[in-house]
Amino acid sequence: MPGLTSAAGVVSFLAEPEPELQVFALKVLNDQIDSLWTELVESIGEVEALYENPSFPDRELAALVVAKVYYNLQEYHESMIFALAAGKLFDLDHEGDFEDTIISKCVDTYIAWSGTAPATNVNQPPPQLTTAFPSTANGASSISAGLASPTTPFSQSTLPSKSLLSRQDSTTSFDPAPQGNGHVTLSGALPTAMASQASVQKQLYAIIDELFERCFAGGSYRQVIGIAVEARKLDVLRRAILRASEDEKSQRKGEDGNPVRGQELMEYVLEICMNVVQERGFRNELLQLVLDLLKDIPSPDYFSIARCIVYLNEHTMASELLVQLVQKGDPKLTAIAYQIAFDLYDNSTQEFLKTVRDELPRVPKAPSTPPQPPTSADRTQAEAPEPQESDQLLRELNDSAGVASSNNGNDQSEKPLSEEAQKAFDSIRTILSGTKTIELDLEFLFRSNRTDTALLNKIRDSLEARNSIFHTAVTLATAFMHAGTTNDKFFRESLEWLGKAVNWSKFTATAALGVIHRGNLGQGQKLLEPYLPKDQIAGTNPSSAYSQGGSLYALGLIYANHETFALDLIRDHFKKATEEVVQHGGALGLGVAGMATGDESIYEDLKSVLYTDSALNGEAVGIAMGLIMLGTGNIKALEDMIQYAHDTQHEKIVRGLALGMALIMYNRQEGADGLVNGLLDDPDPILRYGGIQTLALAYCGTGSNKAVRKLLHVAVSDVSDDVRRIAVMSLGFILFRKPSNVPRMVELLSESYNPHVRYGAAMALGISCAGTGLDEAIDLLEPMIKDPTDFVRQGALISLSMIMVQQNEAMNPKVGTIRKTLQKAISDRHEDAMTKFGSAISLGIIDAGGRNCNISLQTQTGNLNMSGIVGMAVFTQYWYWFPLTHFLSLSFTPTAVIGLDQDLEVPSFKFYSATRPSLFDYPPEQEAKQEDAPEKVKTAVLSTTAQAKRRAQKKEKQQRRESMDIDQSPTTPKTANLGDKMDVDESAIKTEEGQDSDKVDGEKKEGEAAPEAAKKKLEKEKVGYLLDNMSRVLPVQRKFISFPSDCRYQPVKKPTGGVILLTDTTPSEPKSLLELKAKKTVKPAAAPATLQDRVNQVLGQRGQEQEADSRETGGAAEAAGVLTAVDEDVEGGEEAPVPREFEYNTDEEGDGDA
């Protein structure tokens, strides 16, 4: 039928009584609806009446016509309902805009209906936080009703029923409200009663199932997984993964092998869990599902299992997995167990690792052997009876729960462990303790150190050391540049400069040794022994309290996040200390060394010092309490800290407690909502400041939309500049997994009239884009370098250095200009002190760890880097207290690939990088200006003088000939041709001729060497080159790394940086090992020295042992004499001499004398 120009005639058939005419009209309208729908709109009621008439023979056709009319009216919701009623007439195979739109709307409705299913514990907070803050005495349960209570914002009997990321408030959820005059009028409401009919729902699910089957047939399993995750349909998710595995097996036709496609889908689900799903409860359900599916595979991906275990915090599963791999006796599986142990250390807390170590089987000792007392070097390992008792309790608990306990010591006593298995378990314990990882990182940083000493000297010479802020800036730059390298040569060469440190500058300089020697587990105590607090001996000069406090802080930094004897040592000094400065340093050291241990006894020691109400040490104690309870969500600790924060009058204490509460809620997500809401409603701006920090750390790395909205709201509405600053800055913590989104989000904030908001925007860019070299972030920061406010310029420079860390001009051409800008700001006499301070530490950050460290807030495997996030969070508090700047070193991550064989030794081998060498090479060092010596000028001789000399020589020779009997031939030079020309000194001529000849020879050699250098450069720039083991590999370079097939050593997993376990393909051949240069044979750190040892030290009777120790310690030992000296203005120190009296005459006396 030719196309109709008008639908009036066909529409008139709809009013006819004969059904045949009505069906004919519907068919014509359906075929040409795109051109006739405008005329049919007025008669849409008649078509709907035909659909609703049960006696009409072609109701489905009427529904399809109505659906197409509503589609053209952009009423997609009604269109979907009638399209579903059309049944089989709605053809999914037909390609068109109408079908695509209806299918999309069906998927959205399916997700919305699935979201209204009976709620589980997905949106509920963790069990231990259900009663975070009890109600007040008068029964008040709301914030407004409890304003008279010291715990004003926290008088809630339960946490809010609607979490910070509740699904009802999320803009990403489905909003089925139709556009226009639809039936649904409320945003987020469900479909109407008509849409809720069983027939429509049944048809909707049928269409969705048909879509799933088509995806399965086409191999588009990820689309099904995406819809299943959105709809929270775990059964559909399981079905998709199992279907993928079955399809792969059928394609293989019975061949053996693991279902690779199923494992890839499970990895895809893991990525969704970490980067998309924002609710912690639902994420745990997904991870548990993936874990169950992985266990059903004959040879599963053990690394994916380990990732799920870490996220779920299942220490028992972790120990069972390690035991299972070791007991199979396969060397490759043992290497996989070692690799999993390294990954567990990188991604878990000390408390988790300690539990896993205790659950690993041990060889029971003979009963006749008495238990040996633990030494100071191995206090972390329990005595023999203790693991048996704990394992017994664990076995009983597992038996009561119906869980098989195959990993306890008593079960292993019935089945003795083989020698190889026991060796493997001992190695795993060493790995889980962190000793091996720290030792390898220290070795890499030591042997790859490329610190630019000339640049550091320039910083020192450009800043006046007698100014405390400048001295601290140089100290921090030195610490960052040498972080983890154990190279303290700068202190040894700058003793005069170091001697100008006083008070807190001395504290910071001593603590810098901890940053430089971080991870130096074997010599940490010996290095700091001259600085540590000692009992006062009569007749000896006391050491500076600032150096004592700084040494405890440094000791904690050396053993950061590594629970060893150092924790007990710092704790002993902290409990004995009476000086507030020593307590301050001891509290910081305790917090860093005991991070996330959850030790109640240490917490009580800190709390007892807190209650002395000292502002000086109260801030450090508040931070330390949060570090000890990091991420535990301890309710009792929160209540204590909240109560004291309202009772004390010291702002420094309140600020420390606010940060401590934020640390306790690290990564708690919805569980921290009650605390966040309460703190943000507090009238004290410092506690509101802490509420923003709590929000940032609770949702760090989640990319939570609701958290971002909350931060942006506070950033433009709060009356306190400090709160607004931290609100903008916290965007970096929330979004550091998606750094490309941050510049666009803070673009307008970076142009705010408020300098605090601009500073926060700058720091947010630095935190989120650290180490990425992101051009969009640099474009925003460059104008801020010239900001009229000094601290905004300071923040911009620091952020630029964090973004440009380990970037060269091949990766980002702007890095050279930025480095020159940083150096120029230091040498500019007209620049403000705050900007110079920022420039100095920025130069240290950009060359962190000898140019071998990157700033990373996530681990090599993509998990949250707990120590890095905590270090960055505390570092931002340098705004109030400079010594906290050292915490940034916790975020420094060595960029290395370190291969270990199955014996945990470092073999010598090479791997391949498919890039040009210059692309990821070190940036060039600072060129030291060499002043050219003045050129020697030829000595000019006047012509008259030359003639007089010639006449005198001629006369003398004439006299000589007359006095001799034998005539001699004349030996004087011919001067007839010289005339009256100016002569020159002959010696000078010879010298210049020699220099010229040397210069010509040198230029000739350079000319000959130029082609060779160019040729070598071309050879180096060929794509692809080999790297040695323990080489520097940047994060962006990892995707180009591969191990040649003919290489003797092959990795057990895809190289991700850090420590990689290797399998030896030819174990029978002799192997070549790398020599560990940083590891020296030193005595294990012992308990504190005896009184006689201290007397010998004071009297200088250490002899050869002391000389050997001083050679080992290097700059730290030589700096001890300077840093431990008591300042003159300190109480008890040597006083300055009284100036002599002088006489003066008044005007009257002068007149009288006259």
Side-chain angles (χ1 to χ4, degrees):
M1 178 183 290
L4 299 177
T5 58
S6 176
V10 178
V11 171
S12 64
F13 287 164
L14 297 176
E16 296 293 332
E18 290 82 3
E20 292 80 3
L21 293 177
Q22 294 173 341
V23 172
F24 171 77
L26 291 175
K27 289 182 179 180
V28 173
L29 292 172
N30 182 49
D31 293 338
Q32 303 184 32
I33 193 66
D34 292 337
S35 59
L36 302 178
W37 69 270
T38 53
E39 300 180 51
L40 186 59
V41 169
E42 297 180 356
S43 304
I44 191 66
E46 298 179 10
V47 183
E48 288 188 18
L50 293 177
Y51 164 71
E52 295 174 356
N53 184 6
S55 62
F56 185 68
D58 211 342
R59 297 178 58 206
E60 295 180 348
L61 179 60
L64 183 61
V65 173
V66 174
K68 291 184 178 180
V69 173
Y70 277 123
Y71 164 75
N72 285 282
L73 289 172
Q74 296 185 2
E75 299 286 352
Y76 301 125
H77 182 66
E78 282 76 6
S79 178
M80 178 202 68
I81 294 174
F82 284 101
L84 292 175
K88 296 181 179 180
L89 294 181
F90 177 63
D91 188 8
L92 297 178
D93 293 332
H94 186 272
E95 295 183 359
D97 294 340
F98 169 70
E99 287 77 11
D100 292 342
T101 303
I102 298 303
I103 290 174
S104 176
K105 197 67 178 177
C106 287
V107 172
D108 290 343
T109 307
Y110 174 76
I111 294 173
W113 277 345
S114 301
T116 61
T120 60
N121 60 348
V122 171
N123 283 328
Q124 298 300 323
Q128 64 269 26
L129 294 177
T130 52
T131 57
F133 304 105
S135 60
T136 58
N138 57 0
S141 59
S142 64
I143 295 175
S144 59
L147 289 177
S149 171
T151 57
T152 299
F154 315 101
S155 53
Q156 301 151 313
S157 58
T158 58
L159 285 175
S161 59
K162 188 167 64 176
S163 70
L164 191 66
L165 293 179
S166 59
R167 187 177 181 85
Q168 290 79 3
D169 292 340
S170 176
T171 57
T172 58
S173 61
F174 166 63
D175 181 11
Q179 301 179 14
N181 298 323
H183 296 289
V184 182
T185 57
L186 296 178
S187 175
L190 291 174
T192 59
M194 181 179 181
S196 301
Q197 294 178 359
S199 59
V200 176
Q201 292 187 11
K202 182 178 179 181
Q203 187 65 25
L204 174 66
Y205 286 117
I207 287 180
I208 295 298
D209 289 339
E210 185 176 354
L211 287 176
F212 288 165
E213 289 298 329
R214 295 189 178 195
C215 290
F216 292 152
S220 301
Y221 302 99
R222 295 195 174 192
Q223 296 183 8
V224 179
I225 289 177
I227 296 174
V229 172
E230 282 286 336
R232 301 172 182 265
K233 290 287 188 178
L234 299 182
D235 55 338
V236 177
L237 183 61
R238 180 187 294 270
R239 170 187 166 193
I241 296 175
L242 295 178
R243 177 67 179 271
S245 301
E246 293 174 0
D247 293 346
E248 186 177 5
K249 288 181 181 178
S250 62
Q251 292 176 2
R252 289 181 177 181
K253 298 180 180 180
E255 295 180 4
D256 296 333
N258 289 328
V260 178
R261 189 178 300 169
Q263 291 189 10
E264 291 178 352
L265 290 178
M266 283 184 274
E267 292 179 0
Y268 177 63
V269 174
L270 286 178
E271 293 298 325
I272 291 177
C273 287
M274 298 306 108
N275 301 323
V276 178
V277 179
Q278 298 181 358
E279 297 178 9
R280 187 174 183 176
F282 182 54
R283 183 190 298 124
N284 291 344
E285 291 185 4
L286 287 176
L287 292 172
Q288 190 64 50
L289 172 64
V290 173
L291 191 60
D292 295 339
L293 293 174
L294 285 171
K295 290 181 178 179
D296 296 336
I297 301 177
S299 298
D301 183 1
Y302 294 105
F303 302 108
S304 297
I305 294 178
R307 290 184 66 186
C308 294
I309 289 173
V310 170
Y311 286 127
L312 295 173
N313 199 29
E314 294 287 348
H315 54 80
T316 303
M317 291 184 181
S319 58
E320 289 177 354
L321 177 62
L322 295 174
V323 171
Q324 176 187 359
L325 291 172
V326 172
Q327 288 183 343
K328 288 185 178 180
D330 188 351
K332 184 176 181 180
L333 293 180
T334 303
I336 292 177
Y338 290 160
Q339 184 67 67
I340 291 176
F342 278 110
D343 293 343
L344 288 176
Y345 172 74
D346 290 336
N347 300 295
S348 305
T349 63
Q350 292 190 52
E351 185 180 10
F352 180 91
L353 297 172
K354 184 177 180 181
T355 307
V356 174
R357 292 199 305 268
D358 293 340
E359 291 178 353
L360 292 177
R362 298 174 183 269
V363 175
K365 295 184 180 181
S368 59
T369 303
Q372 299 294 330
T375 61
S376 57
D378 56 5
R379 290 184 183 177
T380 55
Q381 298 182 358
E383 296 179 359
E386 291 184 0
Q388 295 176 357
E389 181 181 356
S390 62
D391 290 335
Q392 176 68 21
L393 293 175
L394 179 63
R395 184 176 64 84
E396 292 175 358
L397 290 174
N398 288 339
D399 290 343
S400 63
V403 181
S405 58
S406 61
N407 61 333
N408 55 69
N410 290 336
D411 290 345
Q412 292 300 326
S413 61
E414 299 175 1
K415 297 179 181 179
L417 292 175
S418 63
E419 184 178 352
E420 295 181 356
Q422 182 58 37
K423 180 181 177 182
F425 287 129
D426 291 341
S427 299
I428 290 176
R429 287 192 188 89
T430 304
I431 296 171
L432 292 176
S433 67
T435 305
K436 196 66 179 178
T437 302
I438 295 174
E439 175 188 330
L440 294 172
D441 288 342
L442 183 73
E443 174 66 24
F444 164 72
L445 294 176
F446 176 80
R447 66 193 304 152
S448 303
N449 183 17
R450 297 287 292 271
T451 303
D452 192 347
T453 308
L455 176 59
L456 193 56
N457 291 332
K458 181 179 179 181
I459 299 174
R460 179 196 60 196
D461 298 337
S462 300
L463 300 178
E464 175 57 42
R466 292 196 176 277
N467 191 331
S468 178
I469 185 175
F470 292 156
H471 196 286
T472 300
V474 178
T475 299
L476 295 172
T478 305
F480 290 157
M481 284 188 182
H482 296 92
T485 62
T486 71
N487 184 357
D488 51 16
K489 182 180 177 182
F490 179 80
F491 282 169
R492 183 171 64 248
E493 296 177 348
S494 307
L495 293 179
E496 182 180 356
W497 164 83
L498 198 61
K500 298 178 182 179
V502 294
N503 299 338
W504 289 105
S505 297
K506 187 173 294 186
F507 178 92
T508 307
T510 308
L513 293 173
V515 178
I516 295 173
H517 292 275
R518 184 190 172 195
N520 195 355
L521 305 180
Q523 304 179 62
Q525 184 184 9
K526 300 182 73 175
L527 285 164
L528 297 174
E529 186 176 356
Y531 303 88
L532 292 174
K534 301 176 180 63
D535 296 335
Q536 184 65 33
I537 304 175
T540 61
N541 293 326
S543 59
S544 172
Y546 293 96
S547 65
Q548 293 179 8
S551 66
L552 295 179
Y553 186 13
L555 196 61
L557 290 171
I558 291 177
Y559 297 91
N561 199 20
H562 185 67
E563 187 181 5
T564 58
F565 73 95
L567 188 61
D568 296 332
L569 180 61
I570 300 173
R571 184 180 177 186
D572 292 339
H573 286 300
F574 176 75
K575 293 168 68 175
K576 295 177 182 178
T578 57
E579 294 279 349
E580 292 182 341
V581 178
V582 180
Q583 290 177 340
H584 183 96
L588 293 177
L590 271 178
V592 178
M595 189 186 301
T597 57
D599 195 319
E600 291 284 351
S601 60
I602 298 178
Y603 171 80
E604 292 296 330
D605 293 340
L606 292 168
K607 188 171 69 171
S608 62
V609 176
L610 174 69
Y611 286 166
T612 60
D613 203 39
S614 170
L616 186 59
N617 55 32
E619 182 177 16
V621 168
I623 296 174
M625 293 166 69
L627 290 172
I628 294 295
M629 295 294 176
L630 179 64
T632 60
N634 190 295
I635 303 303
K636 181 179 180 299
L638 287 173
E639 292 175 347
D640 295 340
M641 298 168 77
I642 293 164
Q643 179 71 34
Y644 197 78
H646 285 90
D647 291 344
T648 185
Q649 300 298 320
H650 297 291
E651 291 187 359
K652 288 177 69 67
I653 296 179
V654 178
R655 185 173 293 111
L657 291 173
L659 179 55
M661 287 186 283
L663 293 171
I664 292 177
M665 283 299 180
Y666 166 77
N667 199 28
R668 304 299 296 185
Q669 297 185 18
E670 294 89 353
D673 290 351
L675 180 62
V676 171
N677 294 333
L679 289 173
L680 291 181
D681 289 335
D682 197 276
D684 188 350
I686 300 179
L687 288 180
R688 295 202 304 274
Y689 187 100
I692 295 296
Q693 289 178 311
T694 306
L695 179 62
L697 291 180
Y699 290 95
C700 58
T702 62
S704 165
N705 296 327
K706 190 63 179 288
V708 170
R709 285 200 299 271
K710 187 69 172 178
L711 293 175
L712 291 175
H713 172 71
V714 175
V716 297
S717 63
D718 200 279
V719 296
S720 172
D721 287 336
D722 290 344
V723 179
R724 299 178 68 177
R725 182 180 68 247
I726 191 63
V728 181
M729 191 188 306
S730 297
L731 292 172
F733 289 99
I734 303 292
L735 299 171
F736 69 79
R737 289 184 186 269
K738 303 175 182 178
S740 58
N741 295 342
V742 180
R744 184 174 65 253
M745 185 170 296
V746 302
E747 182 176 1
L748 293 178
L749 295 173
S750 65
E751 300 174 358
S752 171
Y753 72 93
N754 191 326
H756 292 267
V757 174
R758 298 199 300 271
Y759 173 87
M763 292 300 294
L765 290 170
I767 294 169
S768 60
C769 306
T772 61
L774 193 64
D775 291 332
E776 292 83 356
I778 297 171
D779 292 340
L780 287 180
L781 288 171
E782 282 181 333
M784 301 176 74
I785 298 176
K786 301 177 182 179
D787 194 275
T789 308
D790 52 358
F791 62 79
V792 177
R793 297 196 298 271
Q794 180 192 75
L797 294 174
I798 293 175
S799 297
L800 280 173
S801 66
M802 290 195 289
I803 295 173
M804 285 298 189
V805 63
Q806 286 204 324
Q807 299 281 320
N808 58 21
E809 293 191 357
M811 300 170 64
N812 194 316
K814 294 184 178 180
V815 66
T817 305
I818 292 174
R819 285 180 177 271
K820 292 179 181 179
T821 302
L822 294 174
Q823 297 175 24
K824 181 181 178 182
I826 290 178
S827 57
D828 188 357
R829 295 182 179 180
H830 304 287
E831 189 60 82
D832 294 324
M834 293 185 68
T835 307
K836 288 186 176 182
F837 176 86
S839 301
I841 64 175
S842 297
L843 288 171
I845 293 171
I846 202 170
D847 289 339
R851 301 189 174 191
N852 292 296
C853 284
N854 194 13
I855 297 177
S856 178
L857 302 187
Q858 51 186 340
T859 61
Q860 311 278 5
T861 56
N863 292 11
L864 295 179
N865 182 6
M866 182 188 68
S867 61
I869 294 172
V870 171
M872 182 66 73
V874 182
F875 160 73
T876 58
Q877 303 308 301
Y878 82 90
W879 178 280
Y880 302 103
W881 193 234
F882 285 154
L884 297 179
T885 312
H886 285 310
F887 270 83
L888 183 62
S889 62
L890 300 180
S891 302
F892 294 164
T893 304
T895 51
V897 170
I898 305 174
L900 295 182
D901 61 10
Q902 294 160 325
D903 297 327
L904 298 184
E905 295 177 331
V906 186
S908 176
F909 71 95
K910 295 182 181 295
F911 54 93
Y912 184 74
S913 175
T915 60
R916 290 183 172 86
S918 62
L919 182 58
F920 302 110
D921 198 6
Y922 288 96
E925 295 186 1
Q926 172 74 17
E927 295 181 359
K929 291 185 178 180
Q930 298 180 356
E931 297 182 358
D932 297 333
E935 296 182 359
K936 293 184 178 180
V937 182
K938 296 180 180 180
T939 305
V941 181
L942 297 177
S943 59
T944 56
T945 305
Q947 292 178 359
K949 286 183 178 181
R950 286 196 296 271
R951 284 194 297 267
Q953 291 176 0
K954 185 176 181 181
K955 186 176 180 180
E956 182 181 357
K957 290 180 181 179
Q958 184 68 23
Q959 292 176 356
R960 234 183 285 161
R961 280 197 300 267
E962 293 177 355
S963 62
M964 295 178 66
D965 297 335
I966 301 175
D967 292 337
Q968 295 180 351
S969 59
T971 58
T972 56
K974 296 181 180 180
T975 58
N977 297 330
L978 294 177
D980 295 335
K981 293 181 180 180
M982 182 181 291
D983 293 334
V984 297
D985 191 3
E986 294 180 358
S987 60
I989 294 175
K990 293 181 179 179
T991 303
E992 289 296 326
E993 288 178 356
Q995 291 179 353
D996 293 340
S997 61
D998 293 340
K999 185 175 181 181
V1000 172
D1001 294 339
E1003 291 177 354
K1004 190 175 182 180
K1005 291 179 181 178
E1006 290 178 2
E1008 295 174 355
E1012 296 179 2
K1015 184 177 180 181
K1016 290 181 179 179
K1017 186 174 181 180
L1018 288 176
E1019 292 177 356
K1020 290 181 180 179
E1021 288 303 306
K1022 291 181 180 178
V1023 176
Y1025 63 102
L1026 294 176
L1027 289 170
D1028 294 325
N1029 187 17
M1030 201 172 279
S1031 292
R1032 173 179 177 265
V1033 177
L1034 301 184
V1036 293
Q1037 188 181 0
R1038 293 173 193 157
K1039 57 185 177 182
F1040 302 106
I1041 296 299
S1042 62
F1043 284 71
S1045 57
D1046 57 348
C1047 182
R1048 175 178 176 177
Y1049 297 96
Q1050 295 295 327
V1052 297
K1053 72 168 186 176
K1054 184 179 179 181
T1056 57
V1059 179
I1060 299 177
L1061 263 294
L1062 309 170
T1063 55
D1064 191 352
T1065 57
T1066 57
S1068 59
E1069 297 181 3
K1071 58 184 178 180
S1072 175
L1073 301 177
L1074 291 180
E1075 180 184 0
L1076 300 183
K1077 300 178 181 179
K1079 187 177 180 180
K1080 299 180 181 179
T1081 56
V1082 295
K1083 298 179 180 179
T1090 62
L1091 182 61
Q1092 184 62 38
D1093 292 335
R1094 294 169 183 167
V1095 173
N1096 292 339
Q1097 181 182 6
V1098 173
L1099 299 179
Q1101 296 177 356
R1102 286 294 184 91
Q1104 296 180 354
E1105 181 180 358
Q1106 183 179 6
E1107 293 178 3
D1109 292 343
S1110 64
R1111 286 194 300 268
E1112 290 173 358
T1113 54
E1118 296 192 21
V1122 177
L1123 293 177
T1124 57
V1126 180
D1127 299 329
E1128 292 183 354
D1129 56 347
V1130 177
E1131 183 179 356
E1134 183 182 356
E1135 297 182 357
V1138 180
R1140 64 180 180 83
E1141 297 181 358
F1142 58 93
E1143 299 178 355
Y1144 64 94
N1145 298 326
T1146 62
D1147 294 339
E1148 297 178 356
E1149 293 176 349
D1151 295 340
D1153 294 340

